[in-house]
Amino acid sequence: MLTDTDRRFLRIAYDEAREGFEEGGCPIGSVLARGETLVSRGRNQRVQGGDPIAHGEMDALRKAGRQKTYRDTTLYTSLSPCMMCAGTIVQFGIPRVVVGENATFGGNEDFLRARGVEVIVADDPDCIALMTRFITEKPELWAEDIAED
């Protein structure tokens, strides 16, 4: 169940995704929060930075800098995490992930849940609409982002 705090941070992740889309990149945004406190925010930077692993979640984690622990954080992401990002979530011990949507890309919710991560899928209509637009307008870039030929 989404809390008001979840909705606030998910909106920031969506705003990051929208900004990435406007920059010509893949519209995936992410936020790392500790309770009600924003730790960092980021967006997919693969196109903008020419970095193949600069997914939204990775950008937010990079911007968070070193943390003594992640066990008291929540990661918010506009789109369900890919396996690379899901593995990082598990590696860092992030206990909770709020996903904007998984209708356009079914990520790795089962992988995360099997490793004890609480996963909440918001089915956010704005996140769905933005990704649907991106996939329709830039199918080649989307295929590149998810490593499909």
Side-chain angles (χ1 to χ4, degrees), residues 127-138:
C127 291
I128 294 168
L130 181 59
M131 278 307 299
T132 300
R133 178 178 174 199
F134 170 71
I135 292 167
T136 300
E137 291 181 9
K138 299 185 178 184

Side-chain angles (χ1 to χ4, degrees), residues 32-105:
L32 183 68
R34 182 169 280 114
E36 305 240 346
T37 303
L38 175 76
V39 176
S40 64
R41 58 193 285 171
R43 62 180 165 268
N44 188 298
Q45 298 281 336
R46 292 184 69 254
V47 173
Q48 300 91 316
D51 182 346
I53 62 170
H55 288 200
E57 299 90 338
M58 301 301 233
D59 189 47
L61 290 168
R62 241 185 223 126
K63 288 176 178 172
R66 291 177 59 195
Q67 300 290 313
K68 288 188 180 209
T69 185
Y70 294 88
R71 298 195 186 284
D72 58 349
T73 63
T74 297
L75 185 74
Y76 297 85
T77 181
S78 62
L79 184 66
S80 187
C82 72
M83 183 53 80
M84 175 181 68
C85 294
T88 302
I89 290 163
V90 170
Q91 177 71 31
F92 285 10
I94 296 170
R96 186 169 181 266
V97 177
V98 177
V99 175
E101 67 102 352
N102 66 354
T104 61
F105 177 75

